[in-house]
Amino acid sequence: MANVFDVGLNYIGDFGPVGIEASGRWGIAQNNLAGGQNPQIWGAGLRVGVAGVTVGGSFAEQNNTAFSDGRAFDVGISYETGPWAMSFTYLNGENADDEQADATLAVPAGSDENAQQFLAGVSYALAQGITVGGYGAYVDFEEDVGDAGGAGDDVDGIIVGGAIQIEF
């Protein structure tokens, strides 16, 4: 790769009681391999909050990378009231299955990997600078074709965790 160009923009501001954050990015590079395409990436995100409720999401896509093409998006909502905060987020992504790339870095048609995640969390501020929280997630990963052309490596599961945050 040579001659990489990447640009991003970010905005953070308030319109009265409404807070807005927006961002965007676009990048391209020159592929020095004979017959290779120039890879590109772009993404955008938006978050809007008012009266303790925040809604946001983002999208990103990468193309012309031979075997790493893909896209992902997420959407979420959170609510804060007093010392309590809770949120829910959904993530969905798909990319070319790079395990199936051959010597020319070509991926067989229809050989994709897909992931979904549902994540819920809650936190409570115990005192100034001390917050405890917990979260739970369901994750589902599906692969069309597995290693050596066999069945796909599908995995799903539930994740539960907790945290203590101390700031000083």
Side-chain angles (χ1 to χ4, degrees), residues 11 13-20 49-51:
Y11 173 80
D14 294 320
F15 292 93
V18 179
I20 295 178
V50 63

Side-chain angles (χ1 to χ4, degrees), residues 83-87 119-127 129-136 159-166:
W84 289 96
M86 54 215 71
S87 64
L119 175 65
V122 62
S123 66
Y124 183 79
L126 290 173
I130 303 174
T131 303
V132 295
Y135 62 89
I159 302 167
V160 177
I164 299 174
Q165 178 179 348
I166 301 173

Side-chain angles (χ1 to χ4, degrees), residues 1-167:
M1 297 295 152
N3 301 322
V4 176
F5 177 78
D6 203 294
V7 63
L9 296 170
N10 190 45
Y11 173 80
I12 299 173
D14 294 320
F15 292 93
V18 179
I20 295 178
E21 297 180 21
S23 62
R25 173 189 179 208
W26 177 79
I28 190 167
Q30 180 182 0
N31 188 338
N32 293 337
L33 299 175
Q37 296 181 325
N38 296 331
Q40 295 184 41
I41 188 168
W42 73 274
L46 178 65
R47 186 163 72 176
V48 178
V50 63
V53 177
T54 302
V55 177
S58 64
F59 180 87
E61 185 173 54
Q62 179 169 289
N63 294 307
N64 302 330
T65 60
F67 63 91
S68 295
D69 288 357
R71 59 108 190 119
F73 72 89
D74 68 326
V75 293
I77 186 168
S78 68
Y79 177 66
E80 294 184 39
T81 180
W84 289 96
M86 54 215 71
S87 64
F88 178 79
T89 304
Y90 172 74
L91 169 90
N92 182 295
E94 178 180 318
N95 65 280
D97 186 356
D98 61 358
E99 291 176 325
Q100 302 307 315
D102 63 21
T104 64
L105 300 181
V107 176
S111 183
D112 290 332
E113 297 171 332
N114 298 284
Q116 291 188 84
Q117 175 180 287
F118 301 87
L119 175 65
V122 62
S123 66
Y124 183 79
L126 290 173
Q128 180 69 29
I130 303 174
T131 303
V132 295
Y135 62 89
Y138 171 74
V139 179
D140 181 28
F141 173 82
E142 296 179 3
E143 181 180 48
D144 293 336
V145 180
D147 300 338
D153 300 320
D154 295 350
V155 179
D156 66 334
I158 296 174
I159 302 167
V160 177
I164 299 174
Q165 178 179 348
I166 301 173
E167 296 178 6

